Amino acid sequence: MANTILVGAQWGDEGKGKIIDVLTEQADVVVRTQGGNNAGHTVFIGPKKYVLHLIPSGILRKKKTCVIGNGVVVDPIGLVSEIEGLRKIGVKVNGNLFVSETAHVVFPYHRELDAQREVLKGKNKIGTTKRGIGPAYGDKAARVGLRMIDLINAERFEQKLAAKVKENNEVLKAFGAKPLSFKEVHKTYRAAGDYLKPFVANTVTLLHQAVRRGDDILFEGAQGTFLDIDHGTYPYVTSSNTTSGGACTGSGVAPNRMDRVVGVLKAYTTRVGEGPLPTENAEVADMLHAMGREFGATTGRARRCGWFDSVATRHATMVNGIDDLAVTNIDGLDTVETIKVCIGYRDGKKKYDYMPNDVEVLGRCEPVYAEFPGWRTPTDKARSWKQLPPKCREYLKAIAELTEAKLFIASVGPAREQTIFV
Ligand code: IMP
Ligand code: MG
């Protein structure tokens, strides 16, 4: 499989969890490199549903090394409960999970500030997951954050935390929010620190040993291209680099050690949270929600939905260097009579064949559509490219061509066996 970076080519929730699980079969090591427990990766194994937030989905397969890299922000309480949850259902988490010493820690004041800032923004809110992700990365960039290595060092942690709680309580008071009890935060975090100590490691040297051995490494992206802090629809983004470059900085594995980039995208478009979504369409949303689809894995929120946007996905190919495409949720379009695909934007008289950077302009853009006849046949039982309806194959070929990357996987349902290698 070689070293593969997997990224979301839209606004997140492209079905990465499932594709990662499928590709993990051939991987030795699976690495998360950015984001935190704002992510929700859903994996179905038989009838069982697993939702992972921080731990790489590779944990569900035997003999895979899972790494939470330095670029991730770790909520230790969340991580402990995720490990406990997996152990309860018989998944081995022992000697197969490593957390970077230099990954930053998410604290309750980050979560509280996340919520308070959203309130302050009012109608301009971002629609965050309220997991404290933005404030935690903010502290990292401001060089005032605490890292896993601090969390597991009792003495140092106490000192640093005391100063942080004191400072953040002043900020919380200014927001009119309740200050935190140092004692309480310290107690719960120290307990989590002790629990997590055996998992904390120098993951950069660990990954380099894997590279030297010739192991196959899968870099598991979270969120999606247009939620990237640099390349997304700023400020309606998350606070990390969700694009392929983030896999290098977030793991310490250099770009010339990477072999391939896989972009995961839905056969249509969804977004959860605020910000522009040019192809948003109420009928598409109603149809998908009525099917019981498109509710967030982390927050349960109904996702916004629309037609496939090839202007966006082509942009994703550009900024990520996508080689291969995994198209998911194809079965979501099984009943549609005429399928639309956005091939350009129009803002008044001005036409765009790329994504304008100004979110106000993007917000005003009207999509220009091409139409495709729907296949109106269930695809969920298809197990090969040939078994897909001809109109479905035409559609998939067209969106891959417009995206300027190679069609690699067609996914017709959440199960492992509903994966067609093209
Ligand atoms: P945050 O990452 O919680 O700060 O949220 C910022 C934006 O990213 C919001 O629009 C969220 O809905 C979105 N977001 C964060 N994580 C995910 C994810 O895993 N899937 C989809 N959207 C996400
Ligand atoms: Mg998700």
Side-chain angles (χ1 to χ4, degrees), residues 121-418:
K121 282 198 167 96
K123 70 173 184 20
N124 295 323
K125 73 175 196 301
I126 296 166
T128 73
T129 61
K130 299 200 176 74
R131 297 292 189 277
I133 305 300
Y137 277 114
D139 275 1
K140 174 178 174 176
R143 297 156 298 180
V144 294
L146 269 69
R147 311 196 287 183
M148 289 305 289
I149 203 164
D150 303 314
L151 177 69
I152 61 173
N153 179 326
E155 207 174 304
R156 193 196 304 169
F157 182 71
E158 185 171 354
Q159 272 176 18
K160 288 199 171 189
L161 183 71
K164 291 299 297 177
V165 170
K166 191 161 173 248
E167 176 197 336
N168 281 283
N169 275 347
E170 293 306 317
V171 183
L172 287 175
K173 275 188 239 160
F175 272 108
K178 219 178 111 215
L180 297 159
S181 142
F182 163 76
K183 246 175 108 180
E184 217 167 281
V185 179
H186 180 256
K187 192 169 147 236
T188 49
Y189 272 65
R190 271 304 306 137
D194 284 340
Y195 185 102
L196 293 172
K197 197 168 183 174
F199 298 96
V200 177
N202 183 330
T203 54
V204 173
T205 55
L206 183 143
L207 285 170
H208 277 271
Q209 283 160 11
V211 169
R212 251 186 254 122
R213 276 198 301 273
D215 279 2
D216 289 329
I217 309 175
L218 179 62
F219 296 85
E220 158 174 346
Q223 291 87 40
T225 298
F226 299 104
L227 293 174
D228 184 284
I229 183 86
D230 286 283
H231 299 289
T233 53
Y234 193 91
Y236 302 99
V237 294
T238 190
S239 298
S240 62
N241 283 117
T242 60
T243 47
S244 56
C248 296
T249 54
S251 68
V253 179
N256 59 351
R257 297 291 177 267
M258 303 295 185
D259 299 300
R260 176 192 188 206
V261 180
V262 174
V264 185
L265 33 82
K266 272 182 178 143
Y268 45 89
T269 304
T270 66
R271 168 168 209 167
V272 55
E274 307 304 317
L277 186 65
T279 62
E280 186 164 19
N281 180 290
E283 274 169 51
V284 177
D286 289 346
M287 173 191 76
L288 293 164
H289 293 149
M291 293 161 93
R293 309 171 77 108
E294 304 308 341
F295 294 93
T298 299
T299 57
R301 291 181 287 179
R303 296 180 185 136
R304 299 157 64 194
C305 305
W307 299 111
F308 189 85
D309 183 346
S310 74
V311 179
T313 57
R314 193 162 53 244
H315 194 97
T317 297
M318 179 167 73
V319 293
N320 292 295
I322 296 172
D323 300 297
D324 297 310
L325 296 176
V327 183
T328 70
N329 289 271
I330 295 164
D331 54 316
L333 295 178
D334 281 352
T335 59
V336 183
E337 197 170 327
T338 304
I339 303 174
K340 291 184 183 178
V341 170
C342 171
I343 52 167
Y345 301 145
R346 208 195 321 257
D347 175 28
K349 284 208 173 70
K350 185 149 175 54
K351 286 185 186 165
Y352 291 93
D353 62 358
Y354 62 92
M355 277 182 97
N357 279 322
D358 187 328
V359 280
E360 267 177 43
V361 174
L362 186 62
R364 278 200 310 262
C365 278
E366 290 294 333
V368 179
Y369 285 120
E371 293 190 347
F372 292 81
W375 45 91
R376 310 194 80 190
T377 319
T379 55
D380 60 322
K381 304 229 159 39
R383 294 295 176 267
S384 69
W385 179 244
K386 283 240 167 70
Q387 283 173 7
L388 285 172
K391 282 181 184 140
C392 179
R393 281 183 267 160
E394 286 310 310
Y395 176 73
L396 295 176
K397 276 199 264 181
I399 62 174
E401 202 167 296
L402 287 163
T403 302
E404 296 180 355
K406 213 169 116 261
L407 192 58
F408 163 52
I409 286 175
S411 169
V412 292
R416 279 177 178 167
E417 56 277 13
Q418 289 171 305

Side-chain angles (χ1 to χ4, degrees), residues 12-14 16 38-42 297-298 303:
D13 304 313
E14 296 90 350
K16 293 181 294 293
N38 50 347
H41 290 168
T42 309
T298 299
R303 296 180 185 136

